[in-house]
Amino acid sequence: MQIAWISLIPFGIIILSGGIWLKPVPTIYWGGITLTLFISFCSGVIALPLGIILALGRQSNLLIIRNVCSFYIDFMRSLPLIAVLFFGQLLVPLFLPVEIELNRVVRAIIAFAIFAAAYIAEDVRGGIQSIPTNQLEAGEVLGLSRPQIYLLIVLPQALRVALPALTNQAVGLLQNTSLMAILGLVELLGISRSLLANPEFIGRYMEVYVWLGICYWTMCTLISVISKQLESNLNPDKL
């Protein structure tokens, strides 16, 4: 059942992009739950590898790399998300050449990704620090290089340890997409506000926001269930 639900996401994106002989719909016209899931998914796909790179960089023996990664993580974690979103939506276009234009959805995805990557980096770093040093020494004895040790030994275990924290980041990222309603993108919360602006639905705040809460609860619960199932498969001894 979980796989069936997940498989609907790429199918929906294919339809919106003009697959199956349909007319493509530009992302600027996407809205509702489709836009919420699209921004969350794409931001997560970008933020996870970026966060892993930052976590490894913060553990680097090279001072310049360690300091740059540490500064980025600490700087991004000191900023409120809404400020990063405002910068991405309103100020980034001012610094780009006239011939380069990023639509608002792409700018939102990039802003969410660079913000979430700083938090993911700390979660992954905590997982890396939980790995006993004798495993690194065992990898060196086997003749593995430093990148091979981290890629084949450290990172798989670190990600497994950090999975609950990464799930929390995924849920938070999904919920934080509601901030885009402030900036004019009509995602799930934006659709709800548009409905309440309709004269036919004036005063129906309870119905709209209860339904909105049910939608967010369903999506967040689904993420938690999938994560719990994955954690059980990775840690069968803890069942």
Side-chain angles (χ1 to χ4, degrees), residues 118-145:
Y119 289 86
I120 290 175
E122 288 298 275
D123 295 334
V124 174
R125 186 169 71 95
I128 292 175
Q129 291 180 337
S130 69
I131 307 303
T133 56
N134 58 10
Q135 296 202 25
L136 281 74
E137 297 170 356
E140 294 174 351
V141 170
L142 293 173
L144 298 177
S145 64

Side-chain angles (χ1 to χ4, degrees), residues 14 17 23 34 53 60 100 122 130 179 192 198 216:
I14 291 173
S17 61
K23 185 178 180 180
T34 301
I53 293 173
S60 175
I100 298 178
E122 288 298 275
S130 69
L179 293 174
S192 301
N198 190 324
Y216 275 111

Side-chain angles (χ1 to χ4, degrees), residues 23-42:
K23 185 178 180 180
V25 180
T27 54
I28 192 63
Y29 297 115
W30 292 18
I33 195 171
T34 301
L35 185 59
T36 295
L37 292 176
F38 182 74
I39 292 177
S40 302
F41 177 78
C42 293

Side-chain angles (χ1 to χ4, degrees), residues 1 34 46 58 67 74 104 115 153 183 201 207 215:
M1 181 62 69
T34 301
I46 297 172
R58 193 160 189 172
N67 288 341
D74 294 336
R104 300 174 67 185
F115 182 83
I153 299 176
L183 301 177
F201 295 96
E207 294 91 333
C215 290

Side-chain angles (χ1 to χ4, degrees), residues 130-131 155-165 167 226-239:
S130 69
I131 307 303
L155 274 181
Q157 298 182 78
L159 292 176
R160 183 172 58 188
V161 172
L163 183 58
T167 302
I226 294 174
S227 173
K228 185 177 181 180
Q229 184 63 41
L230 180 60
E231 188 175 358
S232 299
N233 293 338
L234 295 175
N235 300 278
D237 54 320
K238 293 185 178 181
L239 292 175

Side-chain angles (χ1 to χ4, degrees), residues 2-75:
Q2 297 169 2
I3 297 176
W5 276 104
I6 296 174
S7 64
L8 291 177
I9 297 176
F11 180 71
I13 294 176
I14 291 173
I15 292 177
L16 290 171
S17 61
I20 320 180
W21 305 286
L22 298 175
K23 185 178 180 180
V25 180
T27 54
I28 192 63
Y29 297 115
W30 292 18
I33 195 171
T34 301
L35 185 59
T36 295
L37 292 176
F38 182 74
I39 292 177
S40 302
F41 177 78
C42 293
S43 301
V45 168
I46 297 172
L48 181 59
L50 181 58
I52 293 174
I53 293 173
L54 289 170
L56 293 175
R58 193 160 189 172
Q59 299 288 105
S60 175
N61 294 326
L62 298 176
L63 183 62
I64 181 64
I65 295 179
R66 185 169 67 249
N67 288 341
V68 169
C69 292
S70 298
F71 174 78
Y72 177 88
I73 293 171
D74 294 336
F75 177 73

